[in-house]
């Protein structure tokens, strides 16, 4: 019996199609092939139009799954995005430059981003927002804090697995290292952090935030010569933003108080 011109809902065809779609790992197509076939029949779409629709749905499904997986992998600390960032609140920040970063050209050039400024000005929000936008551009990003990264690398070194752990961080297009400056590093911790930054140099982009000016990084890293070398590499090809003003929440709280007391 020829399959040409057969009814799309023929159970033997369905078994063959479903078997192959499962074997080829095409769950998106598996979900929609029948309703799309019905729709194609009632609307009079051609065979080719149907096949194009089906493959497009599978591709869209794969892309959505990949984005969801990359978002999980990134371990971002907040779901906040660039859309919800109030640029008007930070006068020192150039909005077009930030939005331009979210296109990802700096990743292709292995450049870094550095966000400096006191606590509460939105560095983590902004950085996570940039990471999320980059994931939607198809890049792989991963968030960590400086303290957590130091602990992970120092523990890896004690196990004799530092190289392996460094390689696992090297597979991201961008690593965001948040909060350099809150926790001073132990001498062992500083050494592995120097190594991490050296490995990333000109091979991978970093997005670093700090509440300290560069001159004070030596307080965190300890060794002045190594710190100077690290800063030299980190800032060599970097987009540096200094946020100033007062804490966003504090400002909001003040505004609420003053509008509540207004006549
Ligand atoms: P930082 O990392 O600089 O200490 P955060 O990013 O943690 O600051 O910001 C503190 C809180 O204030 C977060 O909830 C953040 O979403 C919010 N916030 C800070 N600045 C802004 C801003 N300009 N627009 C919107 N929300 C902001
Ligand atoms: Mg923060």
């Amino acid at each position: 019996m020829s399959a040409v011109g057969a009814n799309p809902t023929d159970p033997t065809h369905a078994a063959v199609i479903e078997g192959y779609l499962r074997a080829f790992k095409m769950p998106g197509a598996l979900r929609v092939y029948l309703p799309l076939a019905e729709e194609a029949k009632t609307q009079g779409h051609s065979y080719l139009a149907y096949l194009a629709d089906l493959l497009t749905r599978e591709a869209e499904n794969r892309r959505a799954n990949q984005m969801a997986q990359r978002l999980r992998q990134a371990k971002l600390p907040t779901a906040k995005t660039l859309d919800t960032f109030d640029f008007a609140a930070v006068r020192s920040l150039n909005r077009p430059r930030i939005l331009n970063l979210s296109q990802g050209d700096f990743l292709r050039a292995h450049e870094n981003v550095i966000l400096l400024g006191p606590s509460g000005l939105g560095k983590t929000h902004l950085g996570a927002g940039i990471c999320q936008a980059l994931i939607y551009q198809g890049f792989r990003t991963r968030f960590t804090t400086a303290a957590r990264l130091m602990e992970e690398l120092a523990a890896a070194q004690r196990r004799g697995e530092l190289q392996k752990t460094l390689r696992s961080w090297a597979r991201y297009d961008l690593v965001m290292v948040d909060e350099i400056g809150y926790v001073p590093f132990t001498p062992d911790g500083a050494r592995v952090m120097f190594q991490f930054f050296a490995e990333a140099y000109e091979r991978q982009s970093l997005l670093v935030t700090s509440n300290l000016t560069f001159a004070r990084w030596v307080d965190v890293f300890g060794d002045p010569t190594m710190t100077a070398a690290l800063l030299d590499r980190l800032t060599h090809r970097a987009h540096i933003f200094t946020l100033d003003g007062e804490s966003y929440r504090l400002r909001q709280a003040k505004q609420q108080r003053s509008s509540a007391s207004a006549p």
Side-chain angles (χ1 to χ4, degrees):
M1 187 184 82
S2 159
V4 175
N7 180 344
T9 57
D10 182 324
T12 56
H13 291 148
V16 171
I17 293 168
E18 289 176 20
Y20 280 128
L21 290 180
R22 284 204 179 88
F24 297 156
K25 296 194 175 22
M26 297 174 76
L30 182 63
R31 262 197 307 281
V32 298
Y33 86 93
L34 260 186
L36 279 186
E38 295 295 347
E39 187 188 310
K41 203 169 147 192
T42 54
Q43 312 256 330
H45 295 162
S46 67
Y47 295 136
L48 290 181
Y50 168 72
L51 189 56
D53 276 353
L54 185 64
L55 293 175
T56 303
R57 294 285 283 270
E58 174 63 27
E60 283 166 356
N61 185 59
R62 283 180 187 209
R63 189 177 143 78
N65 286 345
Q66 192 190 49
M67 295 296 144
Q69 192 202 7
R70 288 188 177 179
L71 270 177
R72 280 193 304 276
Q73 268 183 351
K75 298 193 192 321
L76 300 179
T78 166
K80 290 183 175 162
T81 62
L82 292 178
D83 293 342
T84 60
F85 192 82
D86 177 7
F87 283 89
V90 197
R91 270 172 288 112
S92 58
L93 210 56
N94 182 324
R95 184 167 185 259
R97 272 186 68 201
I98 294 279
L99 295 184
N100 189 38
L101 289 178
S102 66
Q103 299 299 310
D105 290 339
F106 79 102
L107 298 182
R108 291 182 199 96
H110 304 307
E111 293 165 352
N112 299 321
V113 174
I114 306 171
L115 306 177
L116 301 174
S119 184
L121 282 191
K123 300 183 297 298
T124 301
H125 180 153
L126 207 51
I130 292 171
C131 287
Q132 200 195 95
L134 291 170
I135 291 170
Y136 286 113
Q137 297 286 325
F139 294 103
R140 300 182 63 174
T141 77
R142 172 69 203 274
F143 173 93
T144 186
T145 65
R148 237 183 284 150
L149 181 62
M150 180 203 72
E151 271 174 29
E152 182 183 327
L153 296 178
Q157 183 164 52
R158 287 193 293 275
R159 292 195 310 273
E161 292 181 352
L162 182 61
Q163 289 311 320
K164 187 176 148 207
T165 304
L166 286 172
R167 274 198 303 278
S168 76
W169 283 96
R171 56 176 213 262
Y172 299 101
D173 299 302
L174 176 76
V175 176
M176 173 169 172
V177 183
D178 202 18
E179 299 183 347
I180 287 187
Y182 287 121
V183 183
F185 301 139
T186 59
D188 281 349
R191 259 192 298 278
V192 289
M193 290 297 274
F194 286 131
Q195 218 164 322
F196 172 83
F197 283 97
E199 291 285 325
Y201 181 57
E202 289 194 329
R203 276 186 242 173
Q204 172 187 38
S205 293
L206 301 176
L207 191 165
V208 170
T209 82
S210 180
N211 59 321
L212 300 180
T213 57
F214 291 133
R216 293 191 50 207
W217 280 33
V218 65
D219 301 347
V220 177
F221 283 93
D223 186 315
T225 313
M226 297 291 275
T227 306
L230 177 149
L231 280 172
D232 202 45
R233 289 171 176 165
L234 185 69
T235 60
H236 171 212
R237 304 182 72 185
H239 304 263
I240 304 173
F241 298 87
T242 303
L243 288 70
D244 57 31
E246 67 179 334
S247 153
Y248 188 74
R249 284 193 181 132
L250 195 70
R251 222 175 89 131
Q252 276 193 323
K254 276 189 193 164
Q255 276 170 359
Q256 270 159 16
R257 271 203 301 280
S258 64
S259 59
S261 64

